[in-house]
Amino acid sequence: MKITVNTLQTMAAEGRKISMLTCYDASFASLLDGAGVDILLIGDSLGMVMQGRDSTLPVTMEQMEYHTRCVAQGSKNAMVLGDMPFGSYQESPAQAFANAARLMQAGAHMVKIEGGAFMAETVRFLVQRGVPVCAHIGLTPQFVNTFGGYKVQGKSESDAERIMADARALADAGASMVLMECVPAVLAKKITEAISVPTIGIGAGLDVSGQVLVLYDVLGVYPGKKARFVKDFMAEAQSIQGAVSAYVAAVKAQTFPAPEHCF
């Protein structure tokens, strides 16, 4: 069954967990699709895991467009979610639409943008023009230089209130999903209960609508430092297909993330 925005909304309303993994090529897209992954995210994480960069900032629109086209070719049922890279949407809503249109024409069904309430106008502009949006809040990797590193967000009361306000503003602007990265599980639960669209967590606890991880982390092949929220599903699997299927099953059964993966 083809996964659509309506499918995700229904899954969240019924308490059926959504599984998402990053994906960058047609072969893995086919494998992940066959294993039942609901959403394939062409993440700008490719800058780190594929290109060996120390951040996502150098990734270009041309690269995102290329990898989105590859993933779309290999996917049949999963939703294809394309990341908007650094510098491709921050200038103006019109700039964001022009670049989002490129990803949609390459095969994306939705685009993801980073940033809080200040991006609400851009989200509304895109949605009104036929571009579904996944908002990304909490730890937003494109802001790594502002944050001073990859740190948990929302630990203080004021920071938690700001992130909650971000989630509300973006959902009210028409975002179809809100992805929360590296926020305390208690905060992620409150946000999930407060907004009417599905929430996706990465390092955000169990009480969200679904989970996402970087594919290379799931397979235990990324040589960089492992984040607390990562689990190597390949360690106990007999094949890549088995590792991906185990991840999907763990998300659906709510056995991942475990307490040791949460903040």
Side-chain angles (χ1 to χ4, degrees):
M1 180 183 72
K2 188 70 177 177
I3 303 295
T4 68
V5 169
N6 291 340
T7 310
L8 299 176
Q9 189 73 45
T10 299
M11 290 175 70
E14 295 177 351
R16 293 185 285 130
K17 298 298 182 181
I18 299 164
S19 61
M20 183 192 300
L21 281 174
T22 64
C23 188
Y24 315 105
D25 63 61
S27 294
F28 268 114
S30 180
L31 186 149
L32 270 56
D33 193 276
V37 178
D38 298 310
I39 305 173
L40 306 183
L41 168 63
I42 304 92
D44 58 2
S45 51
L46 69 86
M48 301 175 77
V49 300
M50 297 191 72
Q51 299 175 348
R53 309 277 193 163
D54 60 3
S55 77
T56 63
L57 301 182
V59 177
T60 67
M61 263 304 301
E62 289 73 22
Q63 291 165 350
M64 291 306 306
E65 195 173 10
Y66 169 79
H67 287 281
T68 297
R69 186 172 291 110
C70 291
V71 170
Q73 284 293 111
S75 172
K76 292 182 179 179
N77 296 313
M79 172 172 283
V80 176
L81 172 60
D83 244 340
M84 298 283 285
F86 182 71
S88 69
Y89 61 93
Q90 292 92 340
E91 183 180 339
S92 68
Q95 179 210 27
F97 177 75
N99 286 316
R102 291 174 62 180
L103 293 186
M104 298 289 283
Q105 289 168 345
H109 305 123
M110 183 185 294
V111 301
K112 181 169 74 64
I113 62 175
E114 298 183 14
F118 64 91
M119 292 305 302
E121 180 187 355
T122 297
V123 169
R124 187 174 291 108
F125 190 92
L126 293 178
V127 172
Q128 287 174 343
R129 287 157 179 79
V131 180
V133 176
C134 173
H136 183 162
I137 60 174
L139 172 59
T140 43
Q142 292 178 12
F143 291 73
V144 61
N145 293 317
T146 303
F147 291 148
Y150 299 99
K151 302 175 181 179
V152 179
Q153 304 295 306
K155 291 194 292 185
S156 70
E157 184 176 347
S158 61
D159 208 22
E161 289 175 354
R162 175 184 60 79
I163 294 173
M164 172 64 83
D166 287 342
R168 290 183 185 275
L170 293 162
D172 289 346
S176 295
M177 284 193 302
V178 174
L179 189 153
M180 297 178 280
E181 181 170 356
C182 286
V183 300
V186 172
L187 174 60
K189 183 176 188 292
K190 289 179 179 177
I191 289 173
T192 300
E193 293 171 346
I195 64 177
S196 60
V197 300
T199 57
I200 303 295
I202 179 166
L206 264 180
D207 296 307
V208 289
S209 307
Q211 303 290 335
V212 61
L213 282 178
V214 171
L215 174 63
Y216 288 30
D217 287 335
V218 167
L219 302 181
V221 297
Y222 179 53
K225 181 181 178 182
K226 300 295 187 291
R228 176 172 175 171
F229 53 77
V230 167
K231 179 177 178 179
D232 177 2
F233 283 85
M234 194 68 191
E236 298 178 3
Q238 301 299 312
S239 66
I240 292 174
Q241 180 92 27
V244 173
S245 296
Y247 165 75
V248 173
V251 170
K252 302 292 185 182
Q254 301 184 56
T255 57
F256 176 81
E260 64 266 25
H261 303 120
C262 304
F263 300 103

